[in-house]
Amino acid sequence: MFDFLFGLLSHDLGIDLGTSSVLIFVKDKGIVVREPSVVARHKKTKQIVAIGREAKRMIGKTPGTIEAIRPLRNGVISDFDATVALLTHYIRMVHTAPKNPLLPKIPRPKVVVGIPSGVTEVERRAVQEATLGAGARQAILIEEPMAAAIGAGLPIQESQGTFICDIGGGTSEIAVLSLGGIVVNRSIRIAGDEMDEAITNFVRLKHSLLIGEQSAEEIKITIGSAYPTQKHDRVTVVRGRDIETGLPKSVRLNESEIREALATVVHQIIEAISETIEETPPELVGDIIEHGIILAGGGAQLLGIDRLIANELKMPVWITDDPQTAVVRGAGKLLTDEALLQKVRVAARRV
């Protein structure tokens, strides 16, 4: 009975709890939250100062008394209390503007959360407990490649093989799906964060310039590419600190330089895709060759990554519409399909 009452007073939610961003899908409404997963708090009192975009602007700029942290690293929780604070903030935010004044006081939603396929039992339980601690009445976990495939509208319940590669911020999730289950999967901790780190190291070694992670991310978004797709290199100016003099310095970077910086990381992802195909049953490989590899996640937006993978593996590669939201859209679809939810939920498959 209480579950029914809380269902009337709360919005059911689908959450993509990512390393770099948190996306929340509200049943019957769509995606309402798309914020960085960053928390700023006092070091001694642990009091929360800011969450989301405001906290992200503080990275690398905080005084000694405040720390701006990412509570999730490599797709798993690295700071439990900060993760609970993050989820609590967004769950309450979703419930703050309803017609019924009772809703802000008792938001007890049913929540479907996407998690990396390679997490341990302890890491899985941490996500579940953090979600329940943030106010959810029920926390249902689903593996991210499955959620991404559902969000992309792929025929996961049919007998044909479906290959999905979800390149996120902390992990790249690679899986072959068939008949509503994961046949082969691989989760590697090489994704968007490693691309940013590669750019930071490249600029430091080649130009003797120290830059922060936000600057590296901005370079990746602005001129990053995996394959030469344009006639002329795009350029951008980056500012940082000169290693030799310690003084401020500006450097002009071009697209080919950043492509060189990202090459190692991108090829590690391609190698993981290749290894997954090698482990796939032959019957399903035929389906994959016919229908291609589907890319999802924020990393799929790197210019030319689909063409590079296609050239390296000699297979068709497709990027799903709005790849960054594929996982949360899949979680949202499961809120309205109870039968499929029970079939693909993590606990149901591992009991």
Side-chain angles (χ1 to χ4, degrees):
M1 186 181 78
F2 287 110
D3 190 73
F4 174 74
L5 289 173
F6 283 129
L8 292 175
L9 296 169
S10 304
H11 300 299
D12 289 346
L13 307 176
I15 299 180
D16 178 8
L17 192 60
T19 304
S20 58
S21 60
V22 176
L23 290 88
I24 298 182
F25 186 103
V26 176
K27 184 179 178 182
D28 300 326
K29 288 190 175 181
I31 299 169
V32 298
V33 172
R34 191 187 299 205
E35 291 276 334
S37 48
V38 183
V39 174
R41 66 185 179 189
H42 283 284
K43 287 185 177 178
K44 289 185 178 179
T45 65
K46 302 300 180 183
Q47 182 181 354
I48 302 299
V49 176
I51 291 175
R53 284 189 176 85
E54 186 181 349
K56 186 176 182 179
R57 286 195 290 268
M58 297 181 182
I59 292 177
K61 302 177 183 178
T62 57
T65 55
I66 296 174
E67 58 181 356
I69 62 167
R70 285 184 171 182
L72 294 109
R73 284 288 178 186
N74 297 318
V76 297
I77 293 174
S78 60
D79 190 311
F80 185 83
D81 292 336
T83 303
V84 172
L86 183 81
L87 285 170
T88 303
H89 171 76
Y90 289 129
I91 287 173
R92 287 180 178 171
M93 189 171 80
V94 167
H95 291 85
T96 50
K99 294 178 181 178
N100 190 331
L102 289 174
L103 279 173
K105 299 177 183 177
I106 46 172
R108 301 282 289 169
K110 171 184 173 182
V111 178
V112 176
V113 188
I115 59 169
S117 58
V119 297
T120 64
E121 185 70 21
V122 173
E123 291 165 341
R124 182 174 70 84
R125 197 178 299 120
V127 174
Q128 201 160 28
E129 289 176 2
T131 308
L132 293 172
R137 72 177 187 275
Q138 191 178 1
I140 301 170
L141 306 183
I142 176 173
E143 287 164 331
E144 287 177 354
M146 179 65 76
I150 294 169
L154 302 178
I156 62 157
Q157 297 197 74
E158 296 181 11
S159 58
Q160 76 175 45
T162 300
F163 196 108
I164 184 91
C165 177
D166 176 29
I167 307 170
T171 61
S172 291
E173 304 291 321
I174 306 160
V176 178
L177 314 174
S178 180
L179 295 171
I182 294 179
V183 180
V184 181
N185 74 287
R186 188 177 295 266
S187 179
I188 59 170
R189 296 185 173 184
I190 297 168
D193 286 351
E194 279 65 34
M195 292 181 189
D196 296 342
E197 189 177 335
I199 291 171
T200 302
N201 293 336
F202 179 86
V203 173
R204 186 181 74 245
L205 293 171
K206 185 168 183 178
H207 297 284
S208 299
L209 186 71
L210 287 175
I211 60 172
E213 63 179 70
Q214 288 201 71
S215 297
E217 184 182 14
E218 190 175 331
I219 292 167
K220 178 182 69 178
I221 294 169
T222 307
I223 63 169
S225 69
Y227 191 86
T229 56
Q230 306 206 9
K231 293 180 180 179
H232 303 288
D233 273 2
R234 295 170 296 167
V235 296
T236 189
V237 175
V238 61
R239 297 171 179 84
R241 189 172 77 240
D242 191 312
I243 294 176
E244 296 174 359
T245 65
L247 298 174
K249 177 182 174 182
S250 297
V251 170
R252 183 182 294 272
L253 299 173
N254 60 48
E255 185 179 339
S256 57
E257 285 183 300
I258 303 307
R259 189 161 55 248
E260 179 187 342
L262 296 175
T264 302
V265 176
V266 174
H267 277 90
Q268 284 179 297
I269 295 171
I270 295 174
E271 187 178 338
I273 293 173
S274 178
E275 289 171 359
T276 306
I277 294 172
E278 288 175 10
E279 296 173 11
T280 304
E283 293 291 339
L284 295 179
V285 171
D287 293 333
I288 295 167
I289 291 172
E290 183 181 350
H291 300 288
I293 295 169
I294 311 300
L295 299 183
Q301 295 173 311
L302 181 66
L303 190 66
I305 192 168
D306 53 334
R307 291 189 61 181
L308 181 63
I309 295 172
N311 280 0
E312 292 281 335
L313 302 180
K314 311 303 180 190
M315 297 173 67
V317 178
W318 313 97
I319 300 175
T320 184
D321 295 335
D322 197 2
Q324 194 171 10
T325 65
V327 171
V328 76
R329 283 187 282 121
K333 286 182 180 180
L334 289 171
L335 293 171
T336 58
D337 192 338
E338 187 65 29
L340 182 58
L341 176 59
Q342 295 305 321
K343 186 175 182 179
V344 303
R345 60 183 297 179
V346 171
R349 187 160 52 249
R350 293 186 177 170
V351 167

